[in-house]
Amino acid sequence: MPDRPTVGFIGLGHQGRRLVDRLMLAPFPVALWARRPEALDPYRDSGTTMASSAGSLAAMCQIVCVCVPDETAIDEVMRGADGVLKGLSPGSTLLIHSTVRPEVCRDLAAQASRAGAAVIDAPVSNFSHQPRRHIGEAEQMDKRTATLTAFVGGSREAVEKCRSVLDAVADRVFHLGPVGAGQIGKLINNLMFFAGVAASFDLLSAGQRLDLSPLELASAIQHASGRSAALEAVTDHYDLSDLPESLARFRQDFGHLMAKDTEAVRSVLDDVERLGTSIALLIDIAATFGDPT
């Protein structure tokens, strides 16, 4: 494989665009295809190649990255007469950046192997390093650097073959095991985050009922041992002076994502739940909290 292989990319939502931009800055030659043609508009004068179908994109690329929102979308772009699986060639690699059940990636790996291709699951997660000095006061906010972490599953050979691409799209790459291991790691990460968001809203509300300012309380906690990425997300994007309205907005914004991922993590951790840990409770809290109804 050449040092700068042509990288195909499908999935130009918020996260996908970030990954494509990183690939182009690396720089890698990039080819794109989208289920919605208008999603390609920002890239039409960027020097990227536009493929006519998912299958034709796979046929022209040594590495194909997919970052679509759910398993239904994965199935749509992978299968069919013009799907990615039809276009894969011997020696090519399929990178799944979507967060889905690990068995989805294992099934794709089995199908891709018939064409002599490999599959890596590499879902990514954001993280910001530095807390604000005082939440709600933009002039006192530290400049933060956001990073992307990749949870990777796949054979060592396949991962090393794609190392330059993985290092381009993510600031930190953790190879956790065989195909599916990246999804397990990402789903556990998401459960921790969702449970933390639920705790943040509920405990800030409890503090408010005890006459504490949610803004002051959150600012203090973000510089203490209770600091978390979940609390940071709540304080950065929602109005703490109106917690009920902010909670309703959060559920509207992310309820569908929480529902999707909590069902996936429930299936993955079903055997662990029976060991008598608190995992079942955490999953139920996240699922109930994310319900927009």
Side-chain angles (χ1 to χ4, degrees):
M1 182 178 293
D3 290 338
R4 292 295 183 194
T6 300
V7 179
F9 206 99
I10 298 172
L12 297 174
H14 174 70
Q15 192 72 278
R17 291 194 302 271
R18 295 182 65 182
L19 303 186
V20 169
D21 291 346
R22 285 175 171 233
L23 286 169
M24 293 173 65
L25 286 171
F28 282 92
V30 174
L32 302 174
W33 180 79
R35 294 176 298 159
R36 296 178 298 105
E38 61 271 21
L40 297 169
D41 290 345
Y43 297 97
R44 294 197 185 277
D45 296 322
S46 65
T48 57
T49 301
M50 303 296 173
S52 60
S53 69
S56 65
L57 178 132
M60 69 174 69
C61 299
Q62 295 93 340
I63 295 175
V64 179
C65 301
V66 177
C67 190
V68 292
D70 52 37
E71 294 177 18
T72 299
I74 286 276
D75 190 69
E76 180 182 341
V77 302
M78 290 295 165
R79 296 177 172 84
D82 293 322
V84 169
L85 290 172
K86 290 290 186 181
L88 291 175
S89 57
S92 60
T93 306
L94 176 60
L95 269 64
I96 305 298
H97 295 300
S98 308
T99 301
V100 294
R101 291 174 298 132
E103 53 262 41
V104 172
C105 296
R106 294 175 189 140
D107 179 61
L108 288 172
Q111 295 181 67
S113 67
R114 298 170 194 153
V119 168
I120 295 171
D121 52 307
V124 296
S125 180
N126 304 323
F127 182 71
S128 298
H129 290 287
Q130 301 173 359
R132 298 172 184 237
R133 291 182 190 167
H134 192 285
I135 294 163
E137 295 186 7
E139 68 274 13
Q140 294 185 358
M141 185 173 63
D142 288 335
K143 183 178 180 180
R144 297 171 299 162
T145 54
T147 63
L148 288 178
T149 296
F151 298 78
V152 177
S155 71
R156 186 171 301 278
E157 178 184 6
V159 171
E160 290 308 312
K161 192 176 182 180
C162 296
R163 175 64 64 172
S164 61
V165 171
L166 291 167
D167 286 342
V169 299
D171 301 281
R172 295 185 177 88
V173 177
F174 294 93
H175 185 195
L176 301 180
V179 174
Q183 298 295 347
I184 294 172
K186 176 67 186 304
L187 288 167
I188 290 174
N189 170 82
N190 285 8
L191 178 59
M192 289 183 178
F193 178 75
F194 295 154
V197 168
S200 296
F201 271 112
D202 284 350
L203 291 171
L204 289 176
S205 296
Q208 187 175 43
R209 289 195 295 271
L210 295 169
D211 298 325
L212 299 183
S213 161
L215 287 171
E216 296 291 339
L217 178 58
S219 296
I221 292 172
Q222 282 296 72
H223 288 274
S225 58
R227 180 194 171 198
S228 70
L231 177 58
E232 183 177 277
V234 170
T235 58
D236 279 4
H237 301 292
Y238 297 93
D239 180 6
L240 298 191
S241 67
D242 190 347
L243 287 172
E245 174 61 24
S246 292
L247 174 56
R249 280 191 52 224
F250 177 85
R251 285 174 163 161
Q252 183 178 20
D253 292 343
F254 296 105
H256 65 289
L257 177 63
M258 292 181 73
K260 173 182 79 75
D261 286 357
T262 50
E263 282 306 305
V265 79
R266 191 190 301 276
S267 69
V268 168
L269 299 179
D270 183 58
D271 290 338
V272 180
E273 288 182 36
R274 288 196 285 269
L275 297 179
T277 70
S278 63
I279 292 173
L281 178 60
L282 290 175
I283 293 173
D284 287 341
I285 289 172
T288 301
F289 197 81
D291 186 353
T293 60

